[in-house]
Amino acid sequence: MNILAIDLGGTSAKVGLVSNEGKILKFVKVSTDKNNIIENIKKGIENEIKDDEYDLLAFAAPGAIDTKH
């Protein structure tokens, strides 16, 4: 089973295809231009990774952390 992992950052998104054992099979870094974030991520995935290569999707994005709750 392979996992498509997307890490959205302030200046770029890192997209990796990772095996169930944790091995990085493919990796692409795309610009997170505020006007084209989703489109850039989509193009990066389409150019480097085929739909049938992954079974699960993991997405990480920055956000505020409530340390009291």
Side-chain angles (χ1 to χ4, degrees):
M1 177 180 333
N2 293 332
I3 302 162
L4 180 65
I6 303 170
D7 178 16
L8 180 61
T11 59
S12 67
K14 289 79 172 179
V15 181
L17 183 66
V18 183
S19 74
N20 199 37
E21 294 80 28
K23 180 179 178 186
I24 297 173
L25 305 172
K26 294 185 180 180
F27 177 81
V28 62
K29 183 176 174 181
V30 297
S31 168
T32 52
D33 168 35
K34 67 180 179 178
N35 297 315
N36 299 305
I37 295 171
I38 300 300
E39 189 62 31
N40 287 351
I41 293 171
K42 181 181 172 190
K43 285 180 184 177
I45 293 169
E46 289 173 345
N47 290 337
E48 299 295 328
I49 301 167
K50 296 177 185 173
D51 288 339
D52 62 351
E53 289 186 289
Y54 59 93
D55 305 293
L56 298 171
L57 172 67
F59 193 92
I65 298 174
D66 182 348
T67 58
K68 293 183 181 180
H69 298 101

